[in-house]
Amino acid sequence: MIRNSVVAKLWLTIVGMVFVIQALLSVLLQQVFNKYIVEREIETLTQLATSIQSVLTSNSNRNVKERVASDIAHNVERADIKYAIPYTQNPMLLQAYRSLTPSQESQFNAGEPVAVHRMGNRSNELAVYVKLVDPGSLPGMLVVTQQMSVLDEPAHEMRNLVVFDTVLGVILATGFAFVISNNLSRPLLQMNRAAEQMARGHYRQRVKVVTNDEVGRLGQTFNALAEELSTTIEQLSMEREGLQRILSSLEDGVVATDMLGHVVLANPPARRRLRMLSVAEQGVVNEQLLPDRLMKLFVRVTQEQEPVFREDTWEGRTMAITMLPLYEADASTMRGTLCVLRDVTEERRLDRLRKDFIANVSHELRTPLSMMQGYTEALLDDISDDPAMRQELTEIIHDETLRMKRLVNDLLNLAQLESGQFQMNIHRIDLVQLIRRTARKFQALASEYGLAFRLSTQDEPVWIEADEDRLEQVFTNLLDNAFRHTAEGAISFVSDIRNGYAYIRVSDTGAGIPEEDLPYIFERFYKADKARTRSRSGTGLGLAIARQIVFEHQGDILVESRFGEGTTFTVVLPISNDSEQRQSDRWE
């Protein structure tokens, strides 16, 4: 807990320093005090010894001398006086004299007081030796001793005072240390909490700066750093969100990998294609690692560090794959690859259609042009004087000219319809009347071909919003195809109304369409086998134009066919609300 708290560390540091200083100061004070007491006591004992010396060396009566010396000694607590003249008469004084050091002995012989502090296992005393001079005998010795135990009480009081001072200093230091550490650490704690919130994604955190010292400047720097970080993170988030939206909106797949081929970024189209490939290759979905097909390109890019382009076929789709290396900020260390997967199936199909279109148009124009050239050369060479023959050649040339004109007009109409530039004359028309008018044009043709032609439509008007001429063109084309591909049997032209839509069906019992050709019948220049048609085939653009016209009317056109049994085309068109209401009332 203490290791994780700045306040506790500062508090303990300050308190510890104060405690150590107080303890050292207490020891020093104790030593100084003891030395001072000893010196004062030596001075007192020296004065006492000098006073007694003067009394003992006076000419007074011996008893008077001893009484006066005793009275003087009583003024000093627990002082003990011993003297002898000469000192050799007293074994204790003689032993004391012999225990003096040479310097002390010289000082004593010179008549100066000698102070000795004796400390033993059981004794601790001060002694002052003074030389007594008697003219008639050898020198004597005066010893004034005092036990140091008399100094225990002031020393104890001094120790108590020092301890009290130490405890009081520690207590005061504790309070001061807490206040100082708290003031110093409060901004640090605020910055710590703000940093923790910023680590969780809350970048609006700021600290309150109340001082201008180092801690205050640190807080100001922290706030500036937090502001800059918040702005940078916000910009990065916006750029990342924009990048994510761009990648998500792309139809092309974008995949970023590391140096091991693991996927680190992929937009939704890329993930769909990675799932498809992983299931096809491994049987399970794996979006974390590049499939084997892409891994080969990955190995090549990492080895050569050059972009690679390749087209491949996946599940019937043509994919253009571009893979290039990604580098670190130093532009030299490779950190992964970027792969772009683009579905170019439609582009390749359009390329094939363009080529087929040019080939088909060339083929369609070459035949009539060749015929016109041949017949024209025959007319120019006057190969026949028969007027009937010349008339026939001229009619053939005229027919081929009209055929080329129809082909060119159909191509122009189809191009305008597909580009949205064809102007439709939309107005309110009666679909029933349009169907009946179109059917009347084929009544005579049915009799001529010996086919049964059945018309079935509503008795009441069915109103729709449409271009009457263009819808008539659609129905005419469907009926014309039915008559040309039906050698015998019946053709029906039927309409009915259900759920707000009109269903117009053109059915025949003719040759039918092979199943493998059904997906292509609405393509340009699709033609049935000429061997199964009763007359010259058309341009091959009629069904493509019909489908575009129906699409412009917000409808749809469907086909059902069995080879050798017949074909049914169904045109679905939306009807007006009032027509729908009348039909509903009728069925009720």
Side-chain angles (χ1 to χ4, degrees), residues 407-426:
L407 175 61
V408 173
N409 289 335
D410 288 344
L411 286 173
L412 291 175
N413 290 337
L414 182 59
Q416 291 177 347
L417 284 169
E418 291 181 344
S419 63
Q421 299 177 355
F422 192 84
Q423 297 295 327
M424 304 290 291
N425 185 18
I426 303 296

Side-chain angles (χ1 to χ4, degrees), residues 112-127:
E112 298 179 0
V114 177
V116 178
H117 185 195
R118 293 190 182 92
M119 298 181 63
N121 294 332
R122 295 184 178 181
S123 64
N124 184 8
E125 63 182 10
L126 284 176

Side-chain angles (χ1 to χ4, degrees), residues 369-386 389-394 396-397:
L369 287 175
S370 298
M371 295 178 62
M372 292 173 62
Q373 179 184 2
Y375 292 140
T376 304
E377 290 176 352
L379 291 174
L380 291 175
D381 293 339
D382 293 328
I383 62 173
S384 175
D385 295 332
D386 185 1
M389 178 63 71
R390 296 176 65 87
Q391 179 68 26
E392 181 180 356
L393 294 177
T394 304
I396 293 175
I397 293 174

Side-chain angles (χ1 to χ4, degrees), residues 182-462:
N182 193 31
N183 290 334
L184 289 176
S185 62
R186 185 182 296 111
L188 299 178
L189 294 176
Q190 291 180 359
M191 284 186 278
N192 182 54
R193 287 192 294 268
E196 290 177 351
Q197 293 296 324
M198 292 172 65
R200 297 187 180 97
H202 306 291
Y203 301 105
R204 295 294 182 182
Q205 300 297 319
R206 301 294 183 271
V207 296
K208 184 178 180 181
V209 179
V210 295
T211 61
N212 294 322
D213 54 6
E214 290 81 358
V215 177
R217 290 195 294 272
L218 177 61
Q220 295 174 356
T221 304
F222 179 87
N223 289 338
L225 177 62
E227 181 67 25
E228 185 68 22
L229 181 61
S230 175
T231 303
T232 303
I233 294 297
E234 185 176 355
Q235 292 177 351
L236 290 176
S237 299
M238 294 176 61
E239 292 178 1
R240 181 178 181 181
E241 183 180 358
L243 179 60
Q244 290 288 348
R245 290 186 177 181
I246 292 173
L247 291 176
S248 299
S249 62
L250 290 177
E251 294 183 0
D252 298 341
V254 179
V255 183
T257 68
D258 58 13
M259 289 300 295
L260 298 177
H262 294 104
V263 177
V264 296
L265 175 66
N267 63 345
R271 293 191 180 278
R272 288 195 299 269
R273 295 183 175 111
L274 291 178
R275 285 195 297 266
M276 177 182 67
L277 271 185
S278 61
V279 172
E281 293 178 355
Q282 307 172 15
V284 294
V285 175
N286 185 2
E287 299 180 1
Q288 306 303 321
L289 188 66
L290 288 178
D292 293 340
R293 292 189 181 184
L294 295 180
M295 189 60 73
K296 296 178 181 178
L297 296 180
F298 172 81
V299 173
R300 180 178 171 186
V301 171
T302 54
Q303 291 178 349
E304 301 178 359
Q305 296 192 7
E306 293 291 338
V308 175
F309 175 79
R310 177 182 176 184
E311 283 196 7
D312 201 354
T313 302
W314 296 357
E315 300 295 327
R317 308 292 295 181
T318 303
M319 304 299 298
I321 307 171
T322 302
M323 186 174 291
L324 63 158
L326 294 178
Y327 296 95
E328 297 286 357
D330 57 6
S332 61
T333 304
M334 186 173 175
R335 63 182 178 89
T337 62
L338 179 67
C339 181
V340 179
L341 308 174
R342 184 180 182 186
D343 189 347
V344 294
T345 305
E346 188 64 22
E347 296 180 12
R348 298 297 176 263
R349 188 185 70 86
L350 292 176
D351 289 340
R352 288 193 299 270
L353 288 177
R354 178 178 56 82
K355 295 177 182 178
D356 294 343
F357 173 76
I358 295 174
N360 290 329
V361 170
S362 300
H363 176 74
E364 291 293 333
L365 292 176
R366 182 179 58 184
T367 301
L369 287 175
S370 298
M371 295 178 62
M372 292 173 62
Q373 179 184 2
Y375 292 140
T376 304
E377 290 176 352
L379 291 174
L380 291 175
D381 293 339
D382 293 328
I383 62 173
S384 175
D385 295 332
D386 185 1
M389 178 63 71
R390 296 176 65 87
Q391 179 68 26
E392 181 180 356
L393 294 177
T394 304
E395 290 178 355
I396 293 175
I397 293 174
H398 182 264
D399 291 340
E400 294 301 325
T401 303
L402 294 178
R403 181 183 175 189
M404 285 192 296
K405 181 179 179 181
R406 289 195 304 271
L407 175 61
V408 173
N409 289 335
D410 288 344
L411 286 173
L412 291 175
N413 290 337
L414 182 59
Q416 291 177 347
L417 284 169
E418 291 181 344
S419 63
Q421 299 177 355
F422 192 84
Q423 297 295 327
M424 304 290 291
N425 185 18
I426 303 296
H427 61 280
R428 188 180 179 85
I429 66 171
D430 182 5
L431 180 61
V432 174
Q433 293 297 328
L434 175 60
I435 292 174
R436 290 176 177 173
R437 184 172 66 251
T438 306
R440 282 196 295 269
K441 295 190 297 183
F442 289 89
Q443 294 289 347
L445 189 62
S447 300
E448 179 182 349
Y449 290 165
L451 300 175
F453 182 59
R454 184 174 69 90
L455 173 65
S456 176
T457 185
Q458 287 70 29
D459 296 332
E460 297 180 356
V462 176

Side-chain angles (χ1 to χ4, degrees), residues 15-256:
V15 171
M17 292 177 60
V18 171
F19 179 78
V20 171
I21 293 173
Q22 288 286 355
L24 294 176
L25 182 62
S26 300
V27 174
L28 293 176
L29 287 176
Q30 187 71 26
Q31 292 179 353
V32 171
F33 181 72
N34 289 338
K35 183 178 180 181
Y36 172 77
I37 291 177
V38 170
E39 290 177 352
R40 289 295 303 274
E41 195 63 24
I42 290 175
E43 182 180 353
T44 301
L45 292 179
T46 302
Q47 291 177 358
L48 175 63
T50 303
S51 300
I52 295 176
Q53 178 189 24
S54 62
V55 171
L56 293 177
T57 57
S58 67
N59 295 324
S60 301
N61 189 305
R62 180 182 180 87
N63 293 330
V64 173
K65 291 179 181 180
E66 291 180 355
R67 186 172 62 250
V68 172
S70 177
D71 293 339
I72 294 174
H74 281 298
N75 293 329
V76 180
E77 184 180 0
R78 299 177 65 178
D80 186 19
I81 301 174
K82 290 184 178 64
Y83 68 92
I85 302 175
Y87 62 84
T88 56
Q89 295 179 356
N90 191 328
M92 182 179 297
L93 295 179
L94 180 60
Q95 181 65 29
Y97 179 79
R98 292 176 178 175
S99 65
L100 295 178
T101 62
S103 61
Q104 292 175 343
E105 185 177 347
S106 299
Q107 184 179 354
F108 177 79
N109 292 329
E112 298 179 0
V114 177
V116 178
H117 185 195
R118 293 190 182 92
M119 298 181 63
N121 294 332
R122 295 184 178 181
S123 64
N124 184 8
E125 63 182 10
L126 284 176
V128 176
Y129 300 91
V130 179
K131 181 179 180 182
L132 297 177
V133 179
D134 189 355
S137 63
L138 295 173
M141 178 182 290
L142 171 65
V143 179
V144 181
T145 61
Q146 185 181 38
Q147 297 294 325
M148 292 298 295
S149 59
V150 298
L151 303 177
D152 289 342
E153 184 176 353
H156 180 70
E157 292 179 358
M158 184 63 185
R159 283 194 298 270
N160 291 340
L161 183 62
V162 170
V163 170
F164 174 77
D165 178 68
T166 302
V167 173
L168 180 61
V170 170
I171 293 175
L172 293 177
T174 299
F176 291 148
F178 179 78
V179 173
I180 294 173
S181 62
N182 193 31
N183 290 334
L184 289 176
S185 62
R186 185 182 296 111
L188 299 178
L189 294 176
Q190 291 180 359
M191 284 186 278
N192 182 54
R193 287 192 294 268
E196 290 177 351
Q197 293 296 324
M198 292 172 65
R200 297 187 180 97
H202 306 291
Y203 301 105
R204 295 294 182 182
Q205 300 297 319
R206 301 294 183 271
V207 296
K208 184 178 180 181
V209 179
V210 295
T211 61
N212 294 322
D213 54 6
E214 290 81 358
V215 177
R217 290 195 294 272
L218 177 61
Q220 295 174 356
T221 304
F222 179 87
N223 289 338
L225 177 62
E227 181 67 25
E228 185 68 22
L229 181 61
S230 175
T231 303
T232 303
I233 294 297
E234 185 176 355
Q235 292 177 351
L236 290 176
S237 299
M238 294 176 61
E239 292 178 1
R240 181 178 181 181
E241 183 180 358
L243 179 60
Q244 290 288 348
R245 290 186 177 181
I246 292 173
L247 291 176
S248 299
S249 62
L250 290 177
E251 294 183 0
D252 298 341
V254 179
V255 183

